[in-house]
Amino acid sequence: MLLLLLACSPSDPCADSPDLDGDGLSDCMEAELGSDPTLFDSDGDGFDDGEEADCQSDPLNAEQTCYTCGWNRADSSGLSSQGAEIGDTVADMTLHDQCGDQVQLYDFAGRWNIAFVTAAWCSACLGEAEGLDQKTQSLVDESGVPFSYMIVLFSGITGDPAQPQDAIDYAEVVGDPDIPVFADPAQDILANTPYDGKALPGKCLLSPTMEIVSCWTGHDNDEEAWEIVRTQGAP
Ligand SMILES: [Ca+2]
Ligand SMILES: [Ca+2]
Ligand SMILES: [Ca+2]
């Protein structure tokens, strides 16, 4: 009888806990997170505690909010750069996305990424850039593996280092894709990968733990990288 009662008891200890402040997190969940169960926005940054929990943003740090584009922040604890060569964990980089937010590259860990690295002025790159959204979807649908292309502009339309506005403008030009479009004003992608920016576009395959798996240049030649994603699979 006792065993039966135990088996029927709810497995979620927070299942019946109320949500006093109506932020979508029960008082019990807030106790676990450390957020204030009487305040819907514990850190006063304009995002409810529940919203921040959903997008993996810190509800106790007003400096950290949900990304406007909806990117989830990966758990990047334990990641640190070892260098800029194949096999190294790539450096974390501060980039600017098409929604105008400053983002960290490590927020995109936890899935495979191909960085499509180019300059906004490269007209020969536009056709391929326009197709990356569809290629992302096809590979994810076919393999079931978490994967995305990300466009990284190191140079703007004038040939100067890309500015945040270049990411916004480029996303519009290539048809407002669901994949990230980043500007890299510090040109960190060139300093921290084997790709040197001389031939356009450059591509680098990054593993879910942000290892630089391979880098190459040229158009529509990513099959080898897709095969690695397919065969190595989910993280
Ligand atoms: Ca609550
Ligand atoms: Ca908040
Ligand atoms: Ca916050």
Side-chain angles (χ1 to χ4, degrees), residues 40-49 52 57-62 64-65:
F40 61 85
D41 179 8
S42 291
D43 58 8
D45 62 4
F47 289 82
D48 289 3
D49 296 341
E52 294 212 58
S57 170
D58 186 348
L60 295 172
N61 176 2
Q64 193 176 86
T65 59

Side-chain angles (χ1 to χ4, degrees), residues 153-175:
L153 300 174
F154 65 87
S155 177
I157 200 82
T158 60
D160 292 326
Q163 296 305 305
Q165 185 64 37
D166 287 306
I168 297 168
D169 294 343
Y170 198 78
E172 206 176 310
V173 168
V174 299

Side-chain angles (χ1 to χ4, degrees), residues 39-120:
L39 213 55
F40 61 85
D41 179 8
S42 291
D43 58 8
D45 62 4
F47 289 82
D48 289 3
D49 296 341
E51 284 179 276
E52 294 212 58
D54 281 348
C55 76
Q56 279 111 46
S57 170
D58 186 348
L60 295 172
N61 176 2
E63 300 284 299
Q64 193 176 86
T65 59
C66 295
Y67 286 135
T68 310
C69 273
W71 323 125
N72 281 342
R73 291 170 197 270
D75 177 9
S76 59
S77 55
L79 288 185
S80 67
S81 172
Q82 300 160 321
E85 301 305 320
I86 301 299
D88 288 336
T89 302
V90 73
D92 199 6
M93 300 174 201
T94 300
L95 304 164
H96 299 264
D97 72 17
Q98 68 263 49
C99 293
D101 283 340
Q102 184 177 301
V103 309
Q104 293 301 128
L105 179 64
Y106 280 6
D107 285 327
F108 298 84
R111 72 179 186 200
W112 292 87
N113 291 279
I114 294 178
F116 178 94
V117 187
T118 191

